[in-house]
Amino acid sequence: MDFRKQKLSIAEAKEMDMVKYLSLLGHDPSKIKGNDYWYRSPLRQEKTPSFKINRKLNRWYDHGLGKGGNIIDFGIDYYGCSVGEFLNKLNGGFSFQEPLKNIPKIKNEPEHQLKILKDVELSSYALIHYLEQRKIPVEIATQYCREVHYELNTKSYYGIGFKNDFGGFEIRNPYFKASSSPKDITTVKNGSDEVTVFEGFMDFLSFKSIRENEVNNTPDFVILNSLSLFEKARPFLESHKSIKLYLDNDAAGQKVAREALSHSKKYNDHSKLYQNYKDLNDWLAHIGKQQQKRLGNKL
């Protein structure tokens, strides 16, 4: 028997309809414009769809990550595996007529299935390279982050871990965004009467990176880790004289900012600084060093 004929080739895999494939993974388009199918990214958590498949070309592009390609490129990022491993997943029962049973929907699994195995000093080349791509100096990241090794669906992974006040972790790597239980805000207390608020820890690290040489007038910080925790953070926030908001430039972030401004005159929305970008880190990743130094005093 010629087993080579039974194994899916790279060329054959590339011909698979990506829209149908994502549907089998449980991801349906949020909107369709001509040949462009827009999704909330399967590769990370987001509320505004920025992941696109051009069905005519059968190619994808994630605007948040700034990368794209064919179905194999997607599979490698989605599962964090090799080309051969992804082809084996497709060989293991992939069908456009029957539900896909052999590929777990990692992104949508309940939080309790993620188990922290250990946290160590941040040293992985892949994670440091990811931080460098996001313009975060490793010297800043190692002050606030750990390298977290965790288990999900019986498989082991690792990522950048940012601890919250209850001991849970926000976890990021180039392919995955998750949280371990318990979920909570993160506070950094410097005894200041001013507090600066971020939605996620990458924005906090971006702020610290831009102002890394500043020693005096350091504010307190609150990293919400989820907009849903804003109300929980309010008592601590409003115990300060001044509250600076650096929330995401999406509908959800701006809605919370408007609500905050209606609560008290202490709140100040600083998102206009990065008004043409998704968030503070996206802005930092795209501006030049000279512009960064020039605009840093506006933070």
Side-chain angles (χ1 to χ4, degrees):
M1 181 181 294
D2 187 354
F3 288 97
R4 290 175 299 176
K5 292 182 179 180
Q6 294 186 0
K7 185 174 181 179
L8 194 69
S9 70
I10 292 176
E12 288 170 334
K14 288 180 179 179
E15 294 301 314
M16 292 180 170
D17 187 328
M18 282 206 66
V19 169
K20 290 183 179 179
Y21 180 61
L22 258 66
S23 178
L24 289 171
L25 293 179
H27 303 287
D28 295 317
S30 297
K31 60 182 178 180
I32 302 172
K33 291 186 176 181
N35 290 316
D36 293 333
Y37 287 63
W38 290 89
Y39 299 78
R40 292 182 179 86
S41 178
L43 301 177
R44 53 194 173 82
Q45 291 182 352
E46 64 172 8
K47 295 181 179 179
T48 303
S50 65
F51 181 99
K52 180 182 73 174
I53 293 177
N54 183 292
R55 202 166 195 184
K56 184 177 181 180
L57 299 175
N58 200 31
R59 295 292 185 271
W60 63 277
Y61 188 81
D62 190 317
H63 288 267
L65 295 176
K67 63 189 299 186
N70 56 49
I71 192 172
I72 293 178
D73 300 314
F74 172 82
I76 291 170
D77 281 3
Y78 190 76
Y79 297 108
C81 65
S82 67
V83 173
E85 287 170 337
F86 180 58
L87 291 177
N88 286 335
K89 288 180 181 292
L90 296 183
N91 284 326
F94 179 79
S95 169
F96 286 130
Q97 285 73 44
E98 298 177 1
L100 196 66
K101 297 179 181 178
N102 293 331
I103 301 181
K105 294 188 289 185
I106 292 176
K107 178 177 175 293
N108 295 322
E109 289 292 333
E111 283 188 353
H112 69 267
Q113 293 198 11
L114 189 154
K115 179 183 178 183
I116 302 295
L117 301 175
K118 64 178 179 177
D119 65 278
V120 298
E121 184 178 349
L122 189 59
S123 61
S124 161
Y125 171 80
L127 297 180
I128 291 173
H129 179 63
Y130 171 59
L131 288 166
E132 289 174 345
Q133 288 180 316
R134 303 311 306 170
K135 300 290 182 70
I136 305 294
V138 66
E139 295 80 13
I140 298 293
T142 52
Q143 291 181 46
Y144 301 98
C145 301
R146 301 284 286 173
E147 181 175 312
V148 174
H149 293 245
Y150 59 98
E151 183 179 85
L152 184 64
N153 298 328
T154 72
K155 293 187 177 180
S156 297
Y157 304 90
Y158 63 97
I160 302 162
F162 182 76
K163 187 174 286 189
N164 65 41
D165 288 355
F166 275 1
F169 281 97
E170 296 299 308
I171 304 170
R172 302 288 183 275
N173 64 37
Y175 314 112
F176 191 59
K177 178 179 180 180
S179 304
S180 69
S181 296
K183 184 86 171 180
D184 194 29
I185 65 172
T186 303
T187 56
V188 180
K189 299 175 182 177
N190 296 305
S192 175
D193 59 4
E194 177 184 296
V195 61
T196 302
V197 188
F198 305 97
E199 190 169 331
F201 76 86
M202 291 298 286
D203 294 327
F204 166 65
L205 296 179
S206 299
F207 184 94
K208 297 297 291 185
S209 299
I210 294 169
R211 296 176 61 171
E212 61 180 318
N213 295 321
E214 184 172 304
V215 178
N216 299 321
N217 301 319
T218 302
D220 289 351
F221 296 98
V222 169
I223 300 86
L224 297 173
N225 297 319
S226 171
L227 285 176
S228 64
L229 295 174
F230 177 76
E231 284 299 317
K232 181 177 182 179
R234 276 186 63 190
F236 177 74
L237 295 177
E238 293 174 12
S239 68
H240 294 75
K241 292 182 179 179
S242 174
I243 310 165
K244 295 183 178 180
L245 301 173
Y246 290 88
L247 304 181
D248 288 5
N249 264 330
D250 56 17
Q254 293 306 297
K255 181 175 183 290
V256 170
R258 287 194 301 271
E259 290 174 353
L261 293 173
S262 71
H263 291 318
S264 170
K265 292 183 179 180
K266 292 182 178 183
Y267 289 97
N268 294 281
D269 182 9
H270 287 255
S271 63
K272 287 185 179 180
L273 173 67
Y274 46 96
Q275 61 184 342
N276 297 319
Y277 299 89
K278 178 182 177 293
D279 52 33
L280 185 63
N281 180 251
D282 187 39
W283 173 77
L284 174 63
H286 288 90
I287 65 172
K289 289 185 177 180
Q290 293 302 317
Q291 187 181 8
Q292 176 183 329
K293 291 179 180 178
R294 189 168 63 252
L295 295 177
N297 59 6
K298 292 184 179 182
L299 289 174

